Amino acid sequence: MRGTTMMLLLLVGVLACFGAVMVVEAEDPYRYFTWTVTYGTISPLGKPQKGILINGQFPGPRLDIVTNDNVIINLINKIDEPFLLTWNGIKNRKTIWQDGVSGTNCPILPGHNFTYHLQVKDQIGTFMYFPSLQMHKASGGYGGINMYTRPKIPLPYAEPSGDFHLLIGDWYKAGHKALQNTLDYGKKLAFPDGLIINGMQNGIELQGDPGKTYKIRLSNAGLSTSINFRIQGHKMRLVEMEGSHTVQEWYDSLDIHVGQSLAVLITLNQKAKDYYIVASSRFTIPVLTSTGLLKYSNSKEKASGAKPIGPTTHVHWSLKQARTFRWNLTASAARPNPQGAYHYGSVKPTRILHLANSEVKINGKLRYAINGMSYVNPDTPLKLADYFDIPGVFDLKTFKNKTQAGPAKLGTPVVGLWLHDYVEIIFNNNENTIQSWHLSGTDGWVVGYGPKKWTAAQRKFYNLVDAATRYTIQVYPKSWTAMLVPFDNKGMWNLRSAIWPRRYLGQELYVRVWNEEKSPFTEYVIPANAILCGKARGKHI
């Protein structure tokens, strides 16, 4: 009897251990995709032109995923140039190798493929993907990413009856090669030819049932133009902005700057008919416009009346609206307790970065710079040089944390930070044009906007309570914007102008977030399928 009891106890113990192992090793779901990049004929402005398609589509396939999914995308390049996709706002925690920009990845050569493995860890919300090399983005190749919350994490609003993603942006009839050639000659691009929504200047249609509420996700996928979005006769309730739930304010129209994304709810509570959807350019003369329709499913009446008028060149209007965007402190995010173990306003920054954009001439040609340095891509991606300890590719001493005017020069600026540094970034814009900045690998709290030049006295006006988090922020003309950023993701992260001609001509740098530990707890090893180029070619993974 005693022996039988011992055997039963042993069997129970083994099964318990086996169950524990099974729990520990269980992985989040995998989703597999094969995307083929080709050229094809598109007509966004009514005139046929060569575009960049993904699986024959423009915009490309919408990526609908759930928090913590493993997303496997085999990307096959069938165009005549090297190609990469980047995942705007996806943090790629501990796996910089998937970021898809020239400082971290070698390009996918024509006729070759690369398989991205994205784990969309601890994020929810509205994002997009687009080509990161050259001026490819001007010919398409972009699409929306909708990241849904896990079933056990509640939304701070009732589940909507439908979900639409509108990719809005300026467009040129000339293809990316012609635009790139103009920039290579040191000239500015002409004014855009039009504004499009999901690949069309006019004709986009959204349909819903009366009385129901729908989510509309908005992303500015254009090259250089801020846009304003509105729907005739309907107010929009802002609920999410670049991965964070917001305080749910109501708006008649919303500004969305280049590279930004947000989500609103609309309720079909008006007379059953069709209503105009309008997107128009901001801070431009003339004003570009794209229109569509919101159609009630039981509508028998066409849209009528004046199309809703939006703001045009009014900067102060946009600034006031931006200050109303606030973080929803009572909502769960991708996981419970969105603030973690601290509140962002109670932490003292370990470092302050001052960044100033400028339009410059170098060797007689137009360039753009940050703190007097205009970025030039080395043949070897910075992350590969760092990983394999290859000298001569970048030097952390080249970045100067000074915004004073002076002669600009070409270089490869890299900011060196330690993992878990908490950084105050001041973006100073001394130019007369609006700026838009994107930071890969993390996001931060936008604590302040202000006119003229930033001074330390401005800190007393910071929002240290419920500022919204963003990964793409605007800086108004002759103004500044301040962010508090937790650099808690090890890697070599791109900080760039989201205004693509400026980025192409040098307005970017990289941030090296580093610690001495080599461990999967802080950074995964280089993937076996990594493409090696430049001085890293022939290295052993």
Side-chain angles (χ1 to χ4, degrees), residues 9 20 44 60 95 102 115 137 174 216 225 229 314 360 459 493:
L9 289 173
T95 179
S102 57
T115 300
K137 188 182 181 189
I216 300 180
T225 306
F229 181 84
H314 313 297
V360 299
R459 289 195 179 106
W493 301 106

Side-chain angles (χ1 to χ4, degrees), residues 9 22 86 110 116 215 244 301 317 347 386 390 399 421 483 486 535:
L9 289 173
M22 289 298 288
T86 191
Y116 291 92
K215 179 182 285 186
S244 291
E301 184 179 340
W317 185 97
V347 181
D386 204 22
I390 300 171
F399 172 76
D421 271 352
M483 292 183 76
K535 295 179 180 179

Side-chain angles (χ1 to χ4, degrees), residues 209-528:
D209 296 326
K212 292 185 178 180
T213 297
Y214 296 86
K215 179 182 285 186
I216 300 180
R217 302 174 189 263
L218 304 169
S219 294
N220 188 332
L223 294 181
S224 58
T225 306
S226 297
I227 63 101
N228 179 269
F229 181 84
R230 52 210 182 266
I231 302 175
Q232 182 186 31
H234 293 74
K235 287 187 176 291
M236 299 177 290
R237 179 158 49 112
L238 182 67
V239 294
E240 178 261 322
M241 181 180 294
E242 302 193 346
S244 291
H245 297 302
T246 60
V247 173
Q248 296 177 21
E249 302 284 359
W250 294 88
Y251 297 90
D252 293 315
S253 72
L254 282 162
D255 277 357
I256 309 158
H257 306 283
V258 182
Q260 293 184 343
S261 295
L262 53 83
V264 299
L265 296 180
I266 64 160
T267 300
L268 275 59
N269 55 9
Q270 302 298 308
K271 177 183 176 182
K273 55 173 288 190
D274 299 347
Y275 294 87
Y276 291 118
I277 292 172
V278 182
S280 59
S281 61
R282 293 286 275 118
F283 321 120
T284 69
I285 300 175
V287 175
L288 301 172
T289 302
S290 178
T291 60
L293 293 174
L294 172 65
K295 300 173 71 71
Y296 282 55
S297 60
N298 61 340
S299 169
K300 295 181 181 179
E301 184 179 340
K302 293 183 178 181
S304 59
K307 296 175 183 177
I309 297 173
T312 54
T313 60
H314 313 297
V315 171
H316 187 63
W317 185 97
S318 185
L319 174 62
K320 286 178 62 177
Q321 183 180 85
R323 286 174 173 160
T324 67
F325 300 153
R326 294 175 295 145
W327 196 24
N328 189 335
L329 299 179
T330 63
S332 295
R335 59 184 179 212
N337 187 19
Q339 295 188 69
Y342 66 91
H343 185 278
Y344 76 93
S346 64
V347 181
K348 184 177 180 179
T350 56
R351 186 168 175 185
I352 303 170
L353 293 180
H354 294 270
L355 304 178
N357 50 274
S358 58
E359 178 182 312
V360 299
K361 285 285 185 73
I362 300 178
N363 299 325
K365 290 187 175 182
L366 173 70
R367 297 285 300 184
Y368 296 98
I370 303 173
N371 292 8
M373 184 166 286
S374 186
Y375 186 87
V376 177
N377 276 309
D379 293 334
T380 307
L382 306 176
K383 181 58 185 176
L384 289 179
D386 204 22
Y387 185 83
F388 290 114
D389 198 22
I390 300 171
V393 177
F394 69 92
D395 185 345
L396 293 176
K397 296 179 182 179
T398 58
F399 172 76
K400 304 299 181 185
N401 195 19
K402 297 179 180 179
T403 61
Q404 291 90 341
K409 60 182 180 179
L410 302 173
T412 306
V414 178
V415 178
L417 297 177
W418 291 103
L419 184 62
H420 302 304
D421 271 352
Y422 191 64
V423 181
E424 180 182 16
I425 304 180
I426 312 298
F427 295 92
N428 297 275
N429 180 15
N430 298 317
E431 299 183 67
N432 286 317
T433 59
I434 191 165
Q435 302 292 313
S436 188
W437 293 84
H438 174 79
L439 175 61
S440 294
T442 188
D443 53 20
W445 292 272
V446 186
V447 293
Y449 301 93
K452 301 180 181 179
K453 187 176 181 179
W454 180 90
T455 66
Q458 302 299 328
R459 289 195 179 106
K460 64 184 177 182
F461 302 111
Y462 282 4
N463 178 357
L464 299 179
V465 178
D466 60 356
T469 59
R470 306 212 70 161
Y471 51 76
T472 307
I473 57 99
Q474 74 274 18
V475 190
Y476 294 100
K478 298 289 185 179
S479 299
W480 56 268
T481 298
M483 292 183 76
L484 295 176
V485 183
F487 283 92
D488 56 359
N489 194 9
K490 188 174 178 179
M492 184 76 71
W493 301 106
N494 193 207
L495 175 57
R496 61 177 179 263
S497 175
I499 298 174
W500 219 245
R502 298 185 75 102
R503 192 254 183 169
Y504 178 75
L505 291 180
Q507 192 174 316
E508 67 173 322
L509 53 75
Y510 281 81
V511 181
R512 179 186 188 252
V513 182
W514 181 252
N515 71 352
E516 300 294 342
E517 179 184 0
K518 291 186 177 181
S519 164
F521 290 107
T522 57
E523 185 179 40
Y524 299 139
V525 298
I526 187 171

Side-chain angles (χ1 to χ4, degrees), residues 11-268:
L11 179 60
V12 169
V14 170
L15 289 173
C17 291
F18 179 72
V21 170
M22 289 298 288
V23 169
V24 170
E25 292 187 347
E27 288 194 84
D28 292 296
Y30 277 73
R31 300 178 188 268
Y32 294 90
F33 304 88
T34 297
W35 287 359
T36 302
V37 183
T38 61
Y39 289 127
T41 300
I42 58 176
S43 303
L45 300 179
K47 176 184 176 182
Q49 63 185 104
K50 181 190 286 187
I52 295 177
L53 313 181
I54 297 180
N55 287 359
Q57 303 174 41
F58 170 65
R62 194 175 89 177
L63 198 57
D64 289 327
I65 50 182
V66 177
T67 301
N68 289 7
D69 279 353
N70 290 280
V71 183
I72 314 299
I73 301 175
N74 180 26
L75 190 72
I76 304 167
N77 179 17
K78 289 192 175 181
I79 66 172
D80 59 356
E81 296 181 321
F83 190 82
L84 282 174
L85 281 182
T86 191
W87 318 93
N88 204 57
I90 303 301
K91 294 182 180 179
N92 290 308
R93 294 201 63 83
K94 300 191 293 184
T95 179
I96 179 68
W97 310 105
Q98 312 300 326
D99 201 35
V101 292
S102 57
T104 61
N105 296 93
C106 296
I108 307 167
L109 297 178
H112 291 71
N113 74 301
F114 176 74
T115 300
Y116 291 92
H117 182 166
L118 312 172
Q119 186 177 26
V120 289
K121 188 75 173 171
D122 294 335
Q123 289 186 268
I124 54 96
T126 305
F127 310 89
M128 58 181 159
Y129 62 85
F130 51 75
S132 66
L133 299 183
Q134 308 298 329
M135 290 293 291
H136 290 157
K137 188 182 181 189
S139 289
Y142 58 72
I145 303 175
N146 295 358
M147 197 183 306
Y148 298 94
T149 187
R150 289 176 289 173
K152 292 184 179 181
I153 306 298
L155 289 171
Y157 48 85
E159 188 73 37
S161 298
D163 194 328
F164 306 101
H165 197 151
L166 302 184
L167 297 148
I168 308 172
D170 52 11
W171 191 263
Y172 288 85
K173 294 177 182 176
H176 69 275
K177 291 183 180 180
L179 298 179
Q180 188 172 308
N181 190 56
T182 298
L183 295 172
D184 288 342
Y185 272 98
K187 298 179 181 179
K188 290 186 178 181
L189 298 185
F191 191 70
D193 295 308
L195 202 68
I196 61 175
I197 304 175
N198 285 4
M200 296 186 289
Q201 186 173 32
N202 298 300
I204 186 72
E205 293 186 357
L206 308 181
Q207 182 168 307
D209 296 326
K212 292 185 178 180
T213 297
Y214 296 86
K215 179 182 285 186
I216 300 180
R217 302 174 189 263
L218 304 169
S219 294
N220 188 332
L223 294 181
S224 58
T225 306
S226 297
I227 63 101
N228 179 269
F229 181 84
R230 52 210 182 266
I231 302 175
Q232 182 186 31
H234 293 74
K235 287 187 176 291
M236 299 177 290
R237 179 158 49 112
L238 182 67
V239 294
E240 178 261 322
M241 181 180 294
E242 302 193 346
S244 291
H245 297 302
T246 60
V247 173
Q248 296 177 21
E249 302 284 359
W250 294 88
Y251 297 90
D252 293 315
S253 72
L254 282 162
D255 277 357
I256 309 158
H257 306 283
V258 182
Q260 293 184 343
S261 295
L262 53 83
V264 299
L265 296 180
I266 64 160
T267 300
L268 275 59

